[in-house]
Amino acid sequence: MPTTNFRVPEKYKYQNGFGSYHESEAVEGALPVGANSPQQPAYGLYAEKLSGTSFTASRHENQQTWLYRILPAAAHSPFEPRESSTYNTNPDAAKLHQIPNQLRWDPFDLDESVDWVHSLRLIAGAGDPTMKQGLGMFIFAAGKSMDPHSAFYSADGDFLIVLQHGVLDIRTELGCLLVRPNEICVIPRGIRYHVSLPNGPVRGYILELYQNHFQLPELGPIGSNCLANARDFQAPTASFIEDFSGKTTYTLLSKFAGRLFAASQTHTPFDVVAWHGLYYPYKYDLARFCTVGSISYDHPDPSIFTVLTAPSERLGTAVADFVIFPPRWLVAEDTFRPPWYHRNTMSEFMGLIHGDYDAKSGGGFQPAGASLHNVMSAHGPDSMTHAKASSAELKPMKVGEKSMAFMFESSLMVGVTEWGLQKCKKVQKGYNEESWEPLKARFRRPEARKDGTKVESWSDGKRPDLGTWVGES
């Protein structure tokens, strides 16, 4: 069965489907029939609209959700700046290092001293969340649950969370999600949530998308199924807390233009009794990805491994792609089977959830580590992998067993933060020296044809006889 054998069992119920119009009620009768905003919603609830796109966005892109809650989300004190001198996740272009070097990081440390909100470390990014353009790439490592009387949201973009270690128990306004290693989770812009750590410290990666939203890639000639199937994505069911007596103070934390702000309120943020719409958080088990590949020869482009994409205005070019390299069979004949050597107009940030990545056999690319090959930075298999693959017996073989590598790919040139380049102290100094500098020139000029005649050389200044060229008479 194509599912992950999780160590931690599931504890919540979900609705299945990507981009589906979902509805859920924790109390029967809380959802209005037909109308969205009745004069008096059931049980004294308030109707509130949550808009993830403009009202007039194209129908196939429009994402809106109606919430039926005990008190409106607006019922809180004014926001005040918090930790202004230390908290900044905005990819400020003036402070980013724009460098062409290939980079690789050792595994990032666990940090048991911080909660989810303070675990976010921007490692690279491009664009500006205030203009709703670009993205941020984060490492997170937390050891404490958030205060039980707090909630957090990002006004800057959608969080695509790739968990590498631990378990995330996430309560959102729309319901609960349990996220385990080999699952991803997407929390859209503005949705409030709380993160508990039931199994201790956590660590992983985040891609924050400042523009548009993630969608499934087009399948083209593949047809109607394969890659990430829509039915395998899971959205929460309505779940709420009854605490509106005014005796408890809750803190609402907002990440706004990369800065942290705080407001207070005397009722729980998690009071949505029912909801319906297209704008909601969701999760996905990466083991359910249905891989495709060549069954004759050559290695197709890695776009065949795209789980989610965020298109730009240019057709076929993504602001962000989320790509995985799961366990799969290789059967191509007369083919160098690992990923080929490559220079890309896209930026490639890679991470490893568990196992070994089949294109790197030197041991430097480890779970909880990362690499960045920026725009047109040359990369590919290390020398050991190349030597092995060039002489391997080309029989059917399965690669990536018990492994899951992934890539955040972007059309943007991403800059590296000071934390990512220096302060984290995880950049490997010998990445090139280990991976590609050991490659040897293997070119040998042919000495003679099969019939024994000498092959003429260009080195003597004469062009070999190739017959009459076009344009010659």
Side-chain angles (χ1 to χ4, degrees):
M1 181 180 296
T3 58
T4 300
N5 183 21
F6 294 108
R7 294 181 181 179
V8 177
E10 184 58 75
K11 59 188 289 190
Y12 299 120
K13 298 292 185 181
Y14 301 96
Q15 306 175 86
N16 292 341
F18 185 92
S20 302
Y21 200 105
H22 288 310
E23 64 175 38
S24 180
E25 56 185 9
V27 176
E28 187 175 358
L31 278 174
V33 177
N36 292 318
S37 184
Q39 183 182 28
Q40 295 184 4
Y43 311 126
L45 298 172
Y46 288 85
E48 177 179 279
K49 191 171 188 178
L50 178 62
S51 295
T53 57
S54 67
F55 297 143
T56 55
S58 300
R59 182 176 284 265
H60 72 281
E61 295 179 338
N62 209 302
Q63 295 187 26
Q64 317 280 334
T65 288
W66 280 95
L67 313 175
Y68 302 92
R69 60 193 314 155
I70 296 171
L71 283 167
H76 58 72
S77 69
F79 281 99
E80 298 289 344
R82 183 162 163 175
E83 304 166 33
S84 300
S85 63
T86 57
Y87 198 99
N88 184 9
T89 66
N90 193 2
D92 185 347
K95 298 179 181 178
L96 291 177
H97 297 270
Q98 303 286 356
I99 52 178
N101 291 335
Q102 304 97 327
L103 297 174
R104 190 163 69 183
W105 289 266
D106 285 328
F108 293 94
D109 296 331
L110 294 168
D111 187 349
E112 299 189 23
S113 67
V114 297
D115 64 5
W116 172 262
V117 177
H118 296 88
S119 74
L120 307 176
R121 295 286 188 177
L122 185 71
I123 191 170
D128 184 350
T130 68
M131 301 298 292
K132 293 188 176 179
Q133 294 179 343
L135 51 80
M137 300 171 180
F138 291 81
I139 300 297
F140 70 86
K144 300 191 298 185
S145 298
M146 289 174 58
D147 185 289
H149 300 123
S150 67
F152 172 76
Y153 74 93
S154 174
D156 297 337
D158 292 7
F159 268 28
L160 190 161
I161 301 166
V162 183
L163 182 65
Q164 187 274 325
H165 176 84
V167 175
L168 299 174
D169 193 339
I170 305 175
R171 172 176 284 278
T172 77
E173 295 177 90
L174 282 71
C176 298
L177 299 163
L178 187 71
V179 183
R180 299 154 292 183
N182 225 46
E183 287 182 309
I184 62 167
C185 169
V186 173
I187 301 180
R189 181 197 312 267
I191 290 181
R192 300 170 181 181
Y193 63 99
H194 176 277
V195 178
S196 297
L197 312 182
N199 285 45
V202 296
R203 178 176 53 197
Y205 315 81
I206 296 172
L207 190 154
E208 186 172 23
L209 180 65
Y210 303 148
Q211 64 187 91
N212 305 327
H213 299 290
F214 292 104
Q215 62 186 51
L216 295 178
E218 298 294 340
L219 293 179
I222 294 175
S224 56
N225 298 110
C226 288
L227 308 190
N229 290 310
R231 68 186 292 248
D232 293 321
F233 289 81
Q234 298 179 300
T237 57
S239 173
F240 70 101
I241 297 173
E242 289 186 75
D243 188 358
F244 48 92
S245 65
K247 298 179 180 179
T248 305
T249 299
Y250 288 83
T251 300
L252 179 60
L253 297 167
S254 172
K255 188 170 85 70
F256 196 92
R259 301 289 186 174
L260 192 63
F261 294 81
S264 62
Q265 59 188 61
T266 56
H267 56 98
T268 176
F270 306 110
D271 63 355
V272 176
V273 180
W275 62 271
H276 68 87
L278 288 160
Y279 195 61
Y280 46 77
Y282 55 88
K283 72 169 187 171
Y284 175 72
D285 177 1
L286 298 178
R288 298 193 181 199
F289 187 85
C290 182
T291 57
V292 298
S294 173
I295 54 174
S296 56
Y297 65 90
D298 268 359
H299 191 302
D301 292 339
S303 49
I304 61 173
F305 301 125
T306 302
V307 179
L308 294 170
T309 185
S312 70
E313 289 72 21
R314 183 184 292 273
L315 184 64
T317 301
V319 175
D321 285 327
F322 174 63
V323 180
I324 63 172
F325 302 95
R328 60 202 182 277
W329 282 93
L330 301 181
V331 299
E333 297 177 319
D334 192 23
T335 296
F336 182 76
R337 289 179 174 176
W340 12 254
Y341 292 102
H342 192 204
R343 287 180 295 165
N344 195 355
T345 189
M346 310 281 277
S347 300
E348 302 179 14
F349 178 90
M350 287 194 64
L352 186 59
I353 300 172
H354 51 77
D356 297 308
Y357 178 46
D358 54 288
K360 295 288 188 292
S361 57
F365 187 50
Q366 302 175 50
S371 67
L372 174 62
H373 303 139
N374 223 320
V375 172
M376 289 301 171
S377 294
H379 57 280
D382 58 28
S383 58
M384 293 175 59
T385 299
H386 181 271
K388 183 177 179 181
S390 297
S391 59
E393 181 183 358
L394 293 181
K395 59 184 179 181
M397 62 182 297
K398 194 170 188 180
V399 299
E401 284 275 42
K402 299 181 180 179
S403 174
M404 186 63 72
F406 72 89
M407 178 167 64
F408 298 152
E409 186 178 48
S410 176
S411 59
L412 305 176
M413 182 180 291
V414 299
V416 184
T417 63
E418 182 67 17
W419 183 86
L421 195 62
Q422 301 290 345
K423 293 182 180 179
C424 71
K425 299 181 180 180
K426 294 296 180 181
V427 174
Q428 296 178 8
K429 302 301 182 183
Y431 184 27
N432 290 54
E433 181 180 359
E434 174 194 316
S435 298
W436 303 293
E437 289 183 18
L439 290 165
K440 304 298 182 183
R442 306 194 306 166
F443 174 73
R444 295 292 182 271
R445 184 182 298 277
E447 297 297 330
R449 298 189 178 96
K450 290 184 178 180
D451 62 3
T453 60
K454 183 179 178 181
V455 176
E456 295 187 56
S457 171
W458 286 66
S459 60
D460 59 7
K462 293 172 54 183
R463 190 193 75 201
D465 184 9
L466 300 177
T468 301
W469 285 30
V470 175
E472 293 183 336
S473 58

